[in-house]
């Protein structure tokens, strides 16, 4: 008898200095307060280190998307107790094509790109570039901005 079961992926989550994140330059080019990068952390799930940027200055919240709830728990544990990552919470996907996420700080406004850009602390020029940038060209963990988590597709496990 054959049963179809979803395989649980191995837990392979590590941390690195922020400059090693694949999306470090992306944030550096858009944040109003670049000093936040110093307090950021690169979180690597498998091979791709991506940045978790703390709140501060104009930046009031952040998020990190993952493809499996186990990774969300691991990311939350990494960020727990670190300065700049208040009110950590897990957000489960409501649709198979959406990612689970870890969010921190205030709850992001939805459906208003300019308000989202200000919420995430982007410079005006960076915010307008973000809004104009196609979703598929954004960093893989980038759910901040146009469409929020709706704009992010996760790979099947």
């Amino acid at each position: 008898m054959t049963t179809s079961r979803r395989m649980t992926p191995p837990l392979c989550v590590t941390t690195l200095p922020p400059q090693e994140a694949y999306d470090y330059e992306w944030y550096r080019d858009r944040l109003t307060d670049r000093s936040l990068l110093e307090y950021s952390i690169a979180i690597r799930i498998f091979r791709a280190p991506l940045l978790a940027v703390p709140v501060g200055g104009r930046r009031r919240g952040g998020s990190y998307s993952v493809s499996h709830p186990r990774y969300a728990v691991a990311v939350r544990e990494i960020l727990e107790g670190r300065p700049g990552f208040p009110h950590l919470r897990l957000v489960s996907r409501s649709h198979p094509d959406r990612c689970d996420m870890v969010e921190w700080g205030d709850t992001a406004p939805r459906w208003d790109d300019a308000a989202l850009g200000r919420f995430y602390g982007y410079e005006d020029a960076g915010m307008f570039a973000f809004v104009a940038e196609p979703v598929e060209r954004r960093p893989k963990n980038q759910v901040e901005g146009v469409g929020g988590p709706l704009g992010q597709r996760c790979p099947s496990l």
Side-chain angles (χ1 to χ4, degrees):
M1 179 168 152
T2 306
T3 59
S4 176
R5 290 188 342 185
R6 189 174 201 183
M7 297 283 297
T8 301
L11 196 55
C12 210
V13 181
T14 57
T15 61
L16 298 165
Q19 298 82 357
E20 295 197 29
Y22 288 2
D23 53 354
Y24 181 85
E25 290 83 13
W26 192 93
Y27 281 102
R28 184 198 61 212
D29 294 345
R30 287 165 177 78
L31 288 172
T32 300
D33 184 354
R34 288 178 182 79
S35 71
L36 293 174
L37 293 171
E38 182 180 336
Y39 304 101
S40 299
I41 183 167
I43 300 174
R44 181 172 58 196
I45 298 176
F46 297 113
R47 290 190 263 172
L50 298 170
L51 207 57
V53 181
V55 299
R58 212 167 105 171
R59 186 174 173 87
R60 296 180 19 231
S63 64
Y64 192 100
S65 63
V66 296
S67 61
H68 192 277
R70 287 183 66 205
Y71 298 130
V73 171
V75 169
R76 184 188 63 193
E77 288 174 0
I78 287 169
L79 298 176
E80 193 100 48
R82 289 182 183 267
F85 296 94
H87 314 295
L88 288 165
R89 57 200 174 273
L90 301 178
V91 180
S92 295
R93 64 176 118 186
S94 58
H95 188 277
D97 286 346
R98 297 189 188 127
C99 296
D100 291 307
M101 289 189 298
V102 178
E103 291 182 344
W104 54 90
D106 295 338
T107 302
R110 302 289 182 204
W111 318 121
D112 180 348
D113 295 336
L116 282 169
R118 286 188 295 276
F119 176 84
Y120 288 116
Y122 298 147
E123 289 184 338
D124 289 341
M127 178 177 53
F128 294 123
F130 177 84
V131 170
E133 191 171 18
V135 171
E136 60 274 3
R137 292 193 49 211
R138 296 182 193 155
K140 295 301 179 206
N141 79 321
Q142 186 60 40
V143 295
E144 299 172 355
V146 178
L150 302 177
Q152 177 77 22
R153 293 182 60 92
C154 288
S156 299
L157 297 175

